[in-house]
């Protein structure tokens, strides 16, 4: 069905499950998504620009040290969270009256785990054979584990209460303060030492703001500790924590092992490519998934399986639709883009980026289904899948890094992520019509992607920007004409659009066009 026909009746769905989405739940999800999106776009956009500036400021070797420490902190942050953050969001969203008991349990356990995590990071740096300067910088940067843990506890409570405007504002302000303080420190010659002092200072400000906000919304810890709640958080969070550890480990194993095998300079080239990939995933995928997680949890727990499967289908397809043109454009234009973004020192980043960018496509689709497994309380299944992916990633890194160089790290990461996506998809038993709709969407979207690829190949030698200016609108038009965006997609877009700020104007225009 073409786009014009789809617009003739926006309230009538060909898929019955869409009718289960009431206006109130859709409006709430849309407003949460809007708040988080505005925050993430501004905060992550600013952070992305800062990362590009930082690469030029530090050079490839300094950026490699920065990337290695960042990778260690990302893996180490799993221990203080211990999977309990998502458990709090899921359980408190369903039982808001228990918020205080979950808060006291988090305050009792997570700071202790943060201290343990700090020690584990220092031991890991020694085992990897990193030099004394890198270990000293890690000792300073690791202080942020405890600071950020205290802030994240409040962040999760506000998400569970669907008070997402508050964390959106705080997150944006935090990034602004961080960038300002770090820029001052680096301009004064503070180097990486000054950068990490600025990071800790901004983290303290973020945590303080979160606690003030949480207190004002009326959520306070309830003591004595409810041991039953604490035990439940640990038991249910443990498989999730292991899965998160494995996910972070294979996301960052390439940088950690590259530093040990090739040195910090090679890791700097890899980190530059990772910045692009991470920025795309965070802005286009994580924002929406965080916003809709409470709604997904309530939908599944209330027994609305058809609606739950409908949400998975649409979220996965939208992620694919957004990530695919970016991957095509970046892969085919990696050489000029790397020079523009990072400077002449990062000549090898193009070889990494043209492969690693496809990780975003696989990851953004896989994250939707991974979150669905969490919603279904199937953390153990996710654990097994992540473990397999990590084992494969490490094995490929050991083989490819010495032979291929830093480009081998990108190849290993892409293969491992594809394996994980395959494992996650086979964990679901969708009905035949679900897969039928998915195949119909995919081949039509493939036509649009092929059109974009041809345009970029023809125009990239004329000018890369011209390839994007002409190619991306063409991709969007082909997606509409081919029917890749189906009738029920238009209805969902309509419902979400009118629920957002200024949505009444959209509704008037849309209805007038339909009339």
């Amino acid at each position: 069905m073409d786009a014009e026909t789809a617009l003739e009746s926006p309230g009538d769905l060909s898929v019955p499950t869409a009718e289960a989405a009431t206006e109130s739940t859709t409006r709430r999800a849309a407003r949460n998504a809007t708040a988080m999106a505005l925050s993430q776009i501004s905060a992550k956009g600013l952070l992305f620009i800062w990362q590009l500036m930082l690469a030029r400021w530090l050079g490839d070797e300094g950026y490699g040290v920065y990337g290695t420490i960042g990778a260690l902190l990302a893996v180490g942050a799993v221990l203080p969270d211990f999977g309990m953050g998502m458990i709090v969001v899921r359980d408190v969203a369903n039982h808001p009256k228990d918020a205080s008991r979950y808060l006291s349990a988090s305050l009792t356990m997570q700071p202790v785990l943060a201290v343990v995590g700090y020690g584990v990071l220092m031991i890991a740096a020694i085992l990897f054979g990193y030099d004394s300067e890198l270990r000293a910088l890690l000792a300073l940067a690791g202080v942020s584990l405890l600071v950020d843990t205290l802030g994240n506890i409040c962040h999760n409570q506000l998400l569970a209460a669907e008070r997402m405007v508050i964390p959106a504002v705080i997150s944006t302000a935090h990034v602004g303060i961080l960038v300002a303080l770090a820029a001052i420190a680096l301009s004064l010659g503070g180097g990486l030492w000054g950068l990490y002092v600025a990071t800790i200072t901004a983290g303290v400000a973020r945590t303080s703001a979160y606690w003030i906000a949480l207190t004002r919304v009326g959520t306070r810890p309830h003591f004595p500790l409810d041991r039953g709640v604490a035990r439940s958080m640990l038991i249910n969070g443990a498989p999730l924590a292991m899965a998160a550890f494995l996910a972070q480990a294979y996301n960052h194993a390439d940088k950690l092992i590259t530093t040990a095998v090739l040195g910090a300079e090679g890791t700097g080239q890899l980190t530059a490519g990772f910045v692009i990939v991470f920025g795309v995933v965070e802005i286009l995928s994580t924002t929406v998934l965080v916003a809709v997680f409470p709604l997904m949890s309530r939908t599944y727990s209330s027994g609305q399986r058809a609606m739950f499967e409908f949400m998975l289908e649409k979220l996965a397809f939208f992620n694919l639709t957004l990530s695919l043109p970016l991957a095509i454009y970046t892969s085919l234009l990696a050489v000029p883009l790397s020079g523009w973004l990072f400077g002449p020192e990062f000549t090898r980043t193009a070889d990494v980026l043209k492969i690693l960018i496809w990780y975003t496509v696989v990851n953004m689709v896989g994250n939707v289904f991974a979150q669905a497994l969490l919603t279904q309380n199937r953390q153990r299944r996710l654990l097994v899948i992540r473990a397999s992916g990590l084992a494969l990633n490490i094995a490929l890194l050991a083989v490819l890094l010495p032979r291929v160089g830093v480009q081998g790290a990108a190849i290993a990461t892409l293969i491992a992520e594809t394996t994980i996506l395959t494992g996650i998809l086979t964990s679901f038993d969708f009905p035949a019509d679900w897969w039928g709709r998915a195949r119909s969407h995919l081949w039509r979207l493939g036509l649009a992607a092929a059109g974009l690829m041809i345009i970029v190949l023809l125009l990239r030698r004329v000018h890369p920007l011209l390839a994007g200016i002409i190619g991306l609108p063409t991709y969007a038009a082909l997606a509409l004409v081919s029917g890749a965006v189906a009738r029920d997609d238009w209805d969902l877009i309509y419902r979400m659009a009118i629920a957002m700020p200024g949505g009444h104007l959209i509704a008037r225009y849309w209805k007038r066009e339909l009339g």
Side-chain angles (χ1 to χ4, degrees), residues 262-295:
L262 302 179
E265 182 181 350
T267 306
Q269 306 288 335
L270 181 61
T271 301
F274 183 79
V275 165
I276 303 297
V277 170
F278 181 79
V280 171
V281 172
E282 284 295 297
I283 294 175
L284 298 182
S285 177
T286 305
T287 301
V288 176
L289 291 181
V290 169
V292 303
F293 181 71
L295 178 59

Side-chain angles (χ1 to χ4, degrees), residues 4-27:
E4 183 178 354
T5 305
L7 285 172
E8 289 179 357
S9 182
D12 179 23
L13 295 180
S14 58
V15 180
T17 53
E19 295 177 356
T22 64
E23 280 193 26
S24 60
T25 56
T26 303
R27 184 180 298 110

Side-chain angles (χ1 to χ4, degrees), residues 20 94 100 109 173 252 408 414 466 474:
N94 287 308
S100 296
M109 296 183 290
H252 298 286
L414 179 58
L466 181 62
T474 302

Side-chain angles (χ1 to χ4, degrees), residues 36-121:
M36 296 300 292
L38 292 175
S39 169
Q40 293 294 321
I41 290 173
S42 57
K44 298 299 182 182
L46 177 59
L47 195 58
F48 175 75
I49 295 173
W50 169 246
Q51 290 292 324
L52 301 182
M53 296 172 57
L54 194 59
R56 294 175 178 269
W57 214 320
L58 298 176
D60 54 358
E61 185 174 356
Y63 205 50
V65 173
Y66 171 79
T68 303
I69 292 177
L72 284 168
L73 291 176
V75 176
V78 174
L79 187 55
D81 181 77
F82 205 73
M84 291 185 283
M86 296 300 286
I87 297 299
V88 168
V89 174
R90 185 189 68 188
D91 292 355
V92 174
N94 287 308
H95 306 285
K97 293 183 179 180
D98 293 333
S100 296
R101 292 192 293 171
Y102 277 86
L103 179 58
S104 61
S106 298
L107 284 173
T108 301
M109 296 183 290
Q110 290 185 249
V112 176
L113 291 172
V115 175
V116 175
Y118 182 90
V120 170
L121 288 183

Side-chain angles (χ1 to χ4, degrees), residues 331-383:
S331 180
L332 296 179
L333 298 172
V335 174
L337 287 176
S338 297
W340 292 344
L341 295 175
F342 299 105
E345 288 191 40
F346 293 84
T347 55
R348 288 178 291 165
T349 298
D351 294 331
V352 174
L353 187 58
K354 66 176 60 175
I355 298 171
L356 193 60
I357 191 63
W358 290 99
Y359 165 90
T360 62
V361 179
V362 181
N363 180 261
M364 285 175 61
V365 174
N367 283 345
V368 175
F369 294 96
Q371 181 160 289
L373 287 179
L374 170 61
T375 303
Q376 296 175 335
N377 203 26
R378 300 172 67 188
Q379 298 95 318
R380 291 172 179 82
R381 171 68 179 178
L382 192 59
L383 171 62

